[in-house]
Amino acid sequence: MMLERWLTNLGLALIAAWLGVLAMQDVQQQVSSGRLTDLAPERVQSIALQRSAGPLIRLERRDHGWSMRAPIEAPADEAAVGRLLNIAHARVSRVLPADATAAGRLGLDPPRVRLTLDGLTLNIGESDPVGNRRYVMIGDLVQLIDDDQLPWLLAPPEQFLSRRLLPADFSPGLGSIDGRPLSADTLATLVDVVAERVEPIDGELGGRILAIQSADGDQQLRFLVAEGGTRWTRLDQRLSYWLTQPPLAERDEDAFGEPGQLPAPGLAPAGSTDNAPITPNATPVAVPNQLDMSDQPNEPN
């Protein structure tokens, strides 16, 4: 009986030792490869970014590129998403077993930032003041990587949004400004417009309503173009696109259709005082003072 128990304990000890050897081999292989994970960035389909302060950011890869799903729904900036994906291949300088570290002291319990790539969670903590490296815990391992990723990990949600005025997969068909038709040439100038920055909206806004129907008729975008023509606001997304130059001239003849074109029914005739520039005489539009981006059901366009 004693011999049988001894043999059982010996077998368990050998199994534990073998598992330890395998774990050490995995660690050594990871250190030699110099990679934080073996994920292929081009194959990652979903990203979740949770910070100790601020809303959860969720991103998904779609047919036309990356889209933000939370805290708002809008097309995402490919370069900004790429910076998050690059963390998966960050250079590793050291690997430690998690049970040999004080996770709380290293900012890993709870983590300062939690980045999840296709279900693989990276808990990101404080930096090592000696080697200028940052602690990252994946499973039972704590790894040290170059400390140059934190600014993007802590960036506000709008920094991950696309600055394109029109979505990349949107082809304009028909458009109008306050009900007056826009020519095809005018709409074409908007395709490649990129904003200087994108910001959440609050307070009161004013401007003229510019509507653009997609060429296939499936989508419609509506902007509130403020005085000066450099602030274009999507009220459905509650985002303002700030431009360095107004894409539409104040008295662009094309903005009201082709030369000689009759006004649409119900609109003032040519020469009326209603044929004003497209930017002034804004009508205030009230929006909430506080922006709660957690309840946005709109699909990204």
Side-chain angles (χ1 to χ4, degrees):
M1 187 72 176
M2 292 292 295
L3 178 61
E4 181 179 352
R5 182 179 299 177
W6 183 86
L7 291 175
T8 300
N9 291 337
L10 177 62
L12 292 174
L14 291 175
I15 292 174
W18 177 246
L19 292 176
V21 170
L22 292 179
M24 184 59 64
Q25 289 178 345
D26 289 341
V27 170
Q28 292 174 347
Q29 181 179 5
Q30 198 163 7
V31 172
S32 63
S33 69
R35 304 280 184 157
L36 183 60
T37 76
D38 59 359
L39 290 176
E42 66 275 8
R43 295 184 179 179
V44 174
Q45 299 297 311
S46 65
I47 300 173
L49 180 61
Q50 180 69 69
R51 287 77 64 88
S52 55
L56 170 69
I57 296 176
R58 290 197 303 110
L59 302 157
E60 289 183 2
R61 191 193 297 270
R62 294 186 166 186
D63 292 340
H64 57 272
W66 283 93
S67 292
M68 180 179 288
R69 304 291 289 165
I72 57 177
E73 298 201 14
D77 182 75
E78 299 288 328
V81 174
R83 294 184 185 96
L84 291 180
L85 293 174
N86 288 339
I87 297 176
H89 280 184
R91 187 173 68 86
V92 175
S93 60
R94 189 181 180 189
V95 180
L96 300 169
D99 57 6
T101 65
R105 181 173 57 84
L106 302 180
L108 295 169
D109 187 20
R112 186 172 183 183
V113 177
R114 178 175 286 120
L115 177 65
T116 304
L117 307 173
D118 277 355
L120 179 65
T121 299
L122 287 65
N123 292 317
I124 302 170
E126 300 296 339
S127 62
D128 176 16
V130 177
N132 194 29
R133 301 288 188 269
R134 188 160 294 276
Y135 293 101
V136 180
M137 183 167 66
I138 304 177
D140 295 331
L141 295 178
V142 174
Q143 308 177 58
L144 281 166
I145 64 173
D146 291 342
D147 189 21
D148 57 358
Q149 309 292 343
L150 191 62
W152 280 106
L153 290 169
L154 298 180
E158 56 266 26
Q159 292 294 319
F160 296 97
L161 294 175
S162 172
R163 292 180 293 114
R164 291 178 59 99
L165 189 61
L166 304 184
D169 63 334
F170 185 89
S171 178
L174 301 176
S176 63
I177 183 82
D178 278 353
R180 296 180 179 276
L182 293 167
S183 71
D185 289 342
T186 297
L187 294 174
T189 64
L190 304 178
V191 172
D192 296 321
V193 173
V194 177
E196 181 182 20
R197 66 185 187 277
V198 181
E199 297 178 349
I201 61 175
D202 58 15
E204 286 192 348
L205 298 173
R208 294 178 178 266
I209 299 296
L210 187 146
I212 307 176
Q213 190 80 19
S214 63
D216 58 12
D218 288 342
Q219 302 179 60
Q220 185 183 63
L221 305 181
R222 290 171 61 85
F223 294 92
L224 187 66
V225 183
E227 181 175 356
T230 57
R231 183 180 185 180
W232 290 49
T233 299
R234 287 274 302 271
L235 295 178
D236 60 326
Q237 295 178 340
R238 303 171 75 181
L239 295 172
S240 287
Y241 295 77
W242 290 88
L243 314 174
T244 55
Q245 297 291 332
L248 299 181
E250 290 190 358
R251 291 190 179 275
D252 187 352
E253 290 296 329
D254 285 342
F256 304 110
E258 297 295 335
Q261 179 179 354
L262 293 176
L267 296 179
S272 164
T273 56
D274 288 340
N275 273 339
I278 64 173
T279 53
N281 302 326
T283 301
V285 177
V287 295
N289 290 326
Q290 298 296 325
L291 180 64
D292 178 9
M293 298 192 299
S294 62
D295 299 322
Q296 295 298 320
N298 299 311
E299 290 295 321
N301 289 321

